[in-house]
Short mmCIF file of all heavy atoms in Angstrom, two decimals:
data_model
loop_
_atom_site.label_atom_id
_atom_site.label_comp_id
_atom_site.label_asym_id
_atom_site.label_seq_id
_atom_site.Cartn_x
_atom_site.Cartn_y
_atom_site.Cartn_z
N PHE V 232 8.94 -3.28 18.45
CA PHE V 232 8.36 -2.00 18.87
C PHE V 232 7.70 -2.11 20.24
O PHE V 232 7.80 -1.19 21.06
CB PHE V 232 7.35 -1.52 17.83
CG PHE V 232 6.95 -0.08 17.98
CD1 PHE V 232 7.69 0.93 17.39
CD2 PHE V 232 5.84 0.27 18.72
CE1 PHE V 232 7.33 2.26 17.53
CE2 PHE V 232 5.47 1.60 18.88
CZ PHE V 232 6.21 2.60 18.27
N VAL V 233 7.01 -3.22 20.50
CA VAL V 233 6.34 -3.38 21.80
C VAL V 233 7.31 -3.82 22.88
O VAL V 233 6.95 -3.89 24.06
CB VAL V 233 5.16 -4.37 21.73
CG1 VAL V 233 4.12 -3.91 20.74
CG2 VAL V 233 5.63 -5.79 21.43
N GLY V 234 8.55 -4.13 22.50
CA GLY V 234 9.56 -4.52 23.48
C GLY V 234 9.72 -6.00 23.68
O GLY V 234 10.25 -6.45 24.70
N LEU V 235 9.31 -6.81 22.65
CA LEU V 235 9.43 -8.26 22.76
C LEU V 235 10.17 -8.87 21.57
O LEU V 235 9.72 -9.85 20.98
CB LEU V 235 8.03 -8.90 22.87
CG LEU V 235 7.16 -8.52 24.07
CD1 LEU V 235 5.79 -9.19 23.96
CD2 LEU V 235 7.84 -8.93 25.38
N PRO V 236 11.34 -8.34 21.20
CA PRO V 236 12.05 -8.94 20.06
C PRO V 236 12.47 -10.38 20.32
O PRO V 236 12.60 -11.17 19.39
CB PRO V 236 13.27 -8.01 19.89
CG PRO V 236 13.46 -7.40 21.25
CD PRO V 236 12.08 -7.24 21.81
N ASN V 237 12.67 -10.72 21.59
CA ASN V 237 13.06 -12.09 21.93
C ASN V 237 11.90 -13.08 21.78
O ASN V 237 12.12 -14.29 21.79
CB ASN V 237 13.56 -12.13 23.38
CG ASN V 237 12.51 -11.64 24.37
OD1 ASN V 237 11.92 -10.58 24.15
ND2 ASN V 237 12.30 -12.37 25.45
N MET V 238 10.67 -12.58 21.61
CA MET V 238 9.50 -13.44 21.44
C MET V 238 8.95 -13.36 20.02
O MET V 238 7.78 -13.67 19.76
CB MET V 238 8.41 -13.08 22.45
CG MET V 238 8.82 -13.27 23.90
SD MET V 238 7.44 -13.07 25.05
CE MET V 238 6.48 -14.55 24.69
N TYR V 239 9.81 -12.96 19.08
CA TYR V 239 9.37 -12.79 17.70
C TYR V 239 8.73 -14.05 17.13
O TYR V 239 7.64 -14.00 16.53
CB TYR V 239 10.55 -12.34 16.84
CG TYR V 239 10.34 -12.55 15.35
CD1 TYR V 239 9.33 -11.89 14.68
CD2 TYR V 239 11.16 -13.42 14.63
CE1 TYR V 239 9.13 -12.09 13.32
CE2 TYR V 239 10.98 -13.61 13.28
CZ TYR V 239 9.96 -12.94 12.62
OH TYR V 239 9.77 -13.14 11.29
N PHE V 240 9.39 -15.19 17.30
CA PHE V 240 8.86 -16.41 16.68
C PHE V 240 7.56 -16.85 17.34
O PHE V 240 6.65 -17.36 16.67
CB PHE V 240 9.91 -17.54 16.74
CG PHE V 240 11.00 -17.39 15.73
CD1 PHE V 240 12.27 -16.99 16.12
CD2 PHE V 240 10.76 -17.61 14.39
CE1 PHE V 240 13.28 -16.84 15.19
CE2 PHE V 240 11.76 -17.46 13.44
CZ PHE V 240 13.02 -17.07 13.84
N GLN V 241 7.41 -16.66 18.64
CA GLN V 241 6.15 -16.97 19.30
C GLN V 241 5.03 -16.08 18.77
O GLN V 241 3.90 -16.54 18.52
CB GLN V 241 6.27 -16.81 20.82
CG GLN V 241 7.18 -17.81 21.49
CD GLN V 241 8.60 -17.30 21.64
OE1 GLN V 241 9.12 -16.65 20.75
NE2 GLN V 241 9.21 -17.59 22.79
N ILE V 242 5.33 -14.80 18.58
CA ILE V 242 4.34 -13.87 18.03
C ILE V 242 4.01 -14.24 16.58
O ILE V 242 2.83 -14.24 16.17
CB ILE V 242 4.87 -12.42 18.13
CG1 ILE V 242 4.94 -11.98 19.59
CG2 ILE V 242 3.98 -11.46 17.33
CD1 ILE V 242 5.62 -10.65 19.81
N LEU V 243 5.03 -14.59 15.80
CA LEU V 243 4.83 -14.99 14.40
C LEU V 243 3.92 -16.21 14.31
O LEU V 243 2.95 -16.23 13.53
CB LEU V 243 6.19 -15.28 13.75
CG LEU V 243 6.18 -15.70 12.29
CD1 LEU V 243 5.87 -14.50 11.40
CD2 LEU V 243 7.52 -16.32 11.89
N ILE V 244 4.23 -17.24 15.09
CA ILE V 244 3.43 -18.46 15.08
C ILE V 244 1.99 -18.16 15.47
O ILE V 244 1.03 -18.66 14.85
CB ILE V 244 4.04 -19.51 16.03
CG1 ILE V 244 5.38 -20.01 15.47
CG2 ILE V 244 3.08 -20.68 16.26
CD1 ILE V 244 6.19 -20.80 16.48
N THR V 245 1.83 -17.35 16.50
CA THR V 245 0.49 -17.00 16.98
C THR V 245 -0.30 -16.26 15.91
O THR V 245 -1.48 -16.59 15.65
CB THR V 245 0.59 -16.12 18.24
OG1 THR V 245 1.31 -16.83 19.25
CG2 THR V 245 -0.79 -15.75 18.75
N ILE V 246 0.29 -15.28 15.29
CA ILE V 246 -0.40 -14.48 14.27
C ILE V 246 -0.84 -15.35 13.10
O ILE V 246 -1.99 -15.28 12.64
CB ILE V 246 0.50 -13.33 13.79
CG1 ILE V 246 0.59 -12.26 14.87
CG2 ILE V 246 -0.02 -12.73 12.48
CD1 ILE V 246 1.61 -11.18 14.57
N TYR V 247 0.05 -16.20 12.61
CA TYR V 247 -0.30 -17.02 11.45
C TYR V 247 -1.32 -18.10 11.80
O TYR V 247 -2.21 -18.41 11.00
CB TYR V 247 0.96 -17.64 10.84
CG TYR V 247 1.76 -16.66 10.01
CD1 TYR V 247 3.06 -16.95 9.60
CD2 TYR V 247 1.23 -15.43 9.64
CE1 TYR V 247 3.79 -16.05 8.84
CE2 TYR V 247 1.96 -14.52 8.88
CZ TYR V 247 3.23 -14.84 8.49
OH TYR V 247 3.95 -13.95 7.73
N ALA V 248 -1.22 -18.66 13.00
CA ALA V 248 -2.19 -19.68 13.41
C ALA V 248 -3.60 -19.07 13.54
O ALA V 248 -4.58 -19.62 13.03
CB ALA V 248 -1.77 -20.31 14.73
N VAL V 249 -3.68 -17.94 14.22
CA VAL V 249 -4.98 -17.28 14.41
C VAL V 249 -5.53 -16.78 13.06
O VAL V 249 -6.72 -16.91 12.78
CB VAL V 249 -4.86 -16.13 15.42
CG1 VAL V 249 -6.13 -15.27 15.44
CG2 VAL V 249 -4.58 -16.68 16.81
N SER V 250 -4.66 -16.23 12.23
CA SER V 250 -5.10 -15.74 10.92
C SER V 250 -5.60 -16.87 10.04
O SER V 250 -6.55 -16.69 9.27
CB SER V 250 -3.95 -14.99 10.22
OG SER V 250 -3.57 -13.86 10.97
N PHE V 251 -4.98 -18.03 10.15
CA PHE V 251 -5.43 -19.21 9.39
C PHE V 251 -6.84 -19.60 9.81
O PHE V 251 -7.72 -19.86 8.97
CB PHE V 251 -4.45 -20.37 9.62
CG PHE V 251 -4.80 -21.62 8.87
CD1 PHE V 251 -4.43 -21.78 7.55
CD2 PHE V 251 -5.49 -22.65 9.49
CE1 PHE V 251 -4.75 -22.94 6.85
CE2 PHE V 251 -5.81 -23.81 8.82
CZ PHE V 251 -5.44 -23.96 7.48
N ILE V 252 -7.09 -19.62 11.12
CA ILE V 252 -8.43 -19.97 11.62
C ILE V 252 -9.45 -18.92 11.18
O ILE V 252 -10.56 -19.26 10.73
CB ILE V 252 -8.40 -20.09 13.16
CG1 ILE V 252 -7.49 -21.23 13.59
CG2 ILE V 252 -9.81 -20.30 13.70
CD1 ILE V 252 -7.20 -21.27 15.08
N LEU V 253 -9.08 -17.65 11.26
CA LEU V 253 -10.00 -16.58 10.85
C LEU V 253 -10.30 -16.65 9.36
O LEU V 253 -11.41 -16.35 8.92
CB LEU V 253 -9.40 -15.21 11.20
CG LEU V 253 -9.35 -14.86 12.68
CD1 LEU V 253 -8.56 -13.57 12.89
CD2 LEU V 253 -10.74 -14.72 13.26
N ALA V 254 -9.30 -17.05 8.56
CA ALA V 254 -9.51 -17.17 7.12
C ALA V 254 -10.49 -18.29 6.78
O ALA V 254 -11.18 -18.24 5.75
CB ALA V 254 -8.18 -17.41 6.41
N ILE V 255 -10.55 -19.30 7.62
CA ILE V 255 -11.53 -20.38 7.43
C ILE V 255 -12.93 -19.91 7.85
O ILE V 255 -13.93 -20.20 7.18
CB ILE V 255 -11.13 -21.64 8.23
CG1 ILE V 255 -9.81 -22.21 7.68
CG2 ILE V 255 -12.23 -22.69 8.19
CD1 ILE V 255 -9.26 -23.36 8.52
N LEU V 256 -13.00 -19.16 8.94
CA LEU V 256 -14.29 -18.76 9.50
C LEU V 256 -14.94 -17.60 8.75
O LEU V 256 -16.14 -17.61 8.47
CB LEU V 256 -14.12 -18.38 10.97
CG LEU V 256 -13.68 -19.49 11.94
CD1 LEU V 256 -13.46 -18.89 13.33
CD2 LEU V 256 -14.71 -20.60 11.98
N ALA V 257 -14.16 -16.56 8.42
CA ALA V 257 -14.73 -15.31 7.91
C ALA V 257 -15.58 -15.48 6.65
O ALA V 257 -16.64 -14.86 6.55
CB ALA V 257 -13.60 -14.30 7.66
N PRO V 258 -15.16 -16.29 5.65
CA PRO V 258 -15.98 -16.40 4.44
C PRO V 258 -17.35 -17.03 4.69
O PRO V 258 -18.22 -16.95 3.81
CB PRO V 258 -15.13 -17.30 3.52
CG PRO V 258 -13.74 -17.18 4.05
CD PRO V 258 -13.89 -17.02 5.52
N ARG V 259 -17.55 -17.62 5.84
CA ARG V 259 -18.81 -18.31 6.12
C ARG V 259 -19.79 -17.45 6.91
O ARG V 259 -20.84 -17.92 7.32
CB ARG V 259 -18.51 -19.62 6.86
CG ARG V 259 -17.79 -20.62 5.95
CD ARG V 259 -17.15 -21.78 6.70
NE ARG V 259 -16.69 -22.81 5.77
CZ ARG V 259 -15.53 -22.79 5.14
NH1 ARG V 259 -14.69 -21.79 5.33
NH2 ARG V 259 -15.19 -23.75 4.30
N PHE V 260 -19.42 -16.18 7.14
CA PHE V 260 -20.28 -15.25 7.86
C PHE V 260 -20.50 -13.99 7.04
O PHE V 260 -19.72 -13.66 6.15
CB PHE V 260 -19.67 -14.88 9.23
CG PHE V 260 -19.55 -16.03 10.18
CD1 PHE V 260 -18.36 -16.75 10.31
CD2 PHE V 260 -20.63 -16.43 10.95
CE1 PHE V 260 -18.25 -17.81 11.19
CE2 PHE V 260 -20.53 -17.49 11.84
CZ PHE V 260 -19.34 -18.18 11.95
N TRP V 261 -21.59 -13.26 7.37
CA TRP V 261 -21.82 -11.96 6.76
C TRP V 261 -20.72 -11.00 7.21
O TRP V 261 -20.24 -11.12 8.33
CB TRP V 261 -23.19 -11.43 7.23
CG TRP V 261 -23.56 -10.13 6.58
CD1 TRP V 261 -24.22 -9.95 5.40
CD2 TRP V 261 -23.22 -8.81 7.04
NE1 TRP V 261 -24.34 -8.61 5.12
CE2 TRP V 261 -23.72 -7.88 6.11
CE3 TRP V 261 -22.54 -8.32 8.16
CZ2 TRP V 261 -23.57 -6.51 6.25
CZ3 TRP V 261 -22.38 -6.95 8.31
CH2 TRP V 261 -22.90 -6.06 7.36
N PRO V 262 -20.28 -10.07 6.37
CA PRO V 262 -20.80 -9.75 5.04
C PRO V 262 -20.17 -10.51 3.88
O PRO V 262 -20.67 -10.46 2.77
CB PRO V 262 -20.49 -8.26 4.91
CG PRO V 262 -19.23 -8.08 5.70
CD PRO V 262 -19.34 -9.04 6.86
N LEU V 263 -19.07 -11.24 4.12
CA LEU V 263 -18.39 -11.92 3.02
C LEU V 263 -19.28 -12.99 2.39
O LEU V 263 -19.29 -13.16 1.16
CB LEU V 263 -17.07 -12.54 3.50
CG LEU V 263 -15.98 -11.54 3.90
CD1 LEU V 263 -14.77 -12.26 4.45
CD2 LEU V 263 -15.59 -10.67 2.72
N LYS V 264 -20.04 -13.70 3.21
CA LYS V 264 -20.89 -14.76 2.69
C LYS V 264 -21.96 -14.22 1.76
O LYS V 264 -22.39 -14.90 0.82
CB LYS V 264 -21.54 -15.52 3.86
CG LYS V 264 -22.34 -16.73 3.42
CD LYS V 264 -22.93 -17.45 4.62
CE LYS V 264 -23.73 -18.68 4.16
NZ LYS V 264 -24.32 -19.39 5.33
N GLY V 265 -22.40 -12.98 1.98
CA GLY V 265 -23.49 -12.42 1.20
C GLY V 265 -23.07 -11.77 -0.10
O GLY V 265 -23.92 -11.33 -0.89
N ILE V 266 -21.75 -11.67 -0.37
CA ILE V 266 -21.29 -11.05 -1.62
C ILE V 266 -21.44 -12.05 -2.76
O ILE V 266 -20.97 -13.18 -2.67
CB ILE V 266 -19.83 -10.59 -1.48
CG1 ILE V 266 -19.72 -9.53 -0.39
CG2 ILE V 266 -19.32 -10.03 -2.81
CD1 ILE V 266 -18.30 -9.11 -0.09
N PRO V 267 -22.08 -11.67 -3.86
CA PRO V 267 -22.33 -12.62 -4.95
C PRO V 267 -21.07 -12.95 -5.73
O PRO V 267 -20.10 -12.18 -5.73
CB PRO V 267 -23.35 -11.89 -5.82
CG PRO V 267 -23.08 -10.44 -5.57
CD PRO V 267 -22.67 -10.34 -4.13
N ASP V 268 -21.11 -14.06 -6.44
CA ASP V 268 -20.00 -14.46 -7.32
C ASP V 268 -20.15 -13.80 -8.69
O ASP V 268 -20.06 -14.46 -9.73
CB ASP V 268 -19.95 -15.98 -7.45
CG ASP V 268 -19.13 -16.62 -6.35
OD1 ASP V 268 -18.00 -16.17 -6.11
OD2 ASP V 268 -19.63 -17.55 -5.70
N SER V 269 -20.38 -12.49 -8.68
CA SER V 269 -20.45 -11.73 -9.93
C SER V 269 -19.07 -11.17 -10.25
O SER V 269 -18.15 -11.24 -9.44
CB SER V 269 -21.47 -10.60 -9.80
OG SER V 269 -21.20 -9.82 -8.64
N TYR V 270 -18.94 -10.60 -11.45
CA TYR V 270 -17.64 -10.10 -11.91
C TYR V 270 -17.79 -8.62 -12.29
O TYR V 270 -18.13 -8.28 -13.41
CB TYR V 270 -17.13 -10.93 -13.09
CG TYR V 270 -16.69 -12.31 -12.66
CD1 TYR V 270 -17.63 -13.31 -12.44
CD2 TYR V 270 -15.35 -12.60 -12.44
CE1 TYR V 270 -17.25 -14.58 -12.00
CE2 TYR V 270 -14.96 -13.85 -12.01
CZ TYR V 270 -15.91 -14.83 -11.80
OH TYR V 270 -15.53 -16.08 -11.35
N SER V 271 -17.51 -7.74 -11.31
CA SER V 271 -17.68 -6.31 -11.53
C SER V 271 -16.34 -5.60 -11.71
O SER V 271 -16.28 -4.38 -11.64
CB SER V 271 -18.43 -5.68 -10.35
OG SER V 271 -17.68 -5.78 -9.16
N GLY V 272 -15.27 -6.37 -11.92
CA GLY V 272 -13.96 -5.76 -12.17
C GLY V 272 -13.96 -5.00 -13.48
O GLY V 272 -14.92 -5.04 -14.26
#
């Protein structure tokens, strides 16, 4: 859509690499860190 189909794999690698780092960092900061381990389902 943005006009870079030839760079699909570079975009894919970048997205997953950055998302992996964010998934490590995000749970250690507010607001996710402040949510209790309760079961309200």
Side-chain angles (χ1 to χ4, degrees):
F232 194 87
V233 300
L235 298 177
N237 58 312
M238 297 188 71
Y239 162 62
F240 284 106
Q241 292 94 320
I242 291 172
L243 181 74
I244 292 167
T245 301
I246 287 172
Y247 283 167
V249 170
S250 297
F251 181 83
I252 296 170
L253 289 172
I255 295 174
L256 296 176
R259 292 165 170 84
F260 295 96
W261 184 88
L263 292 176
K264 185 179 181 180
I266 298 174
D268 273 310
S269 52
Y270 288 79
S271 64

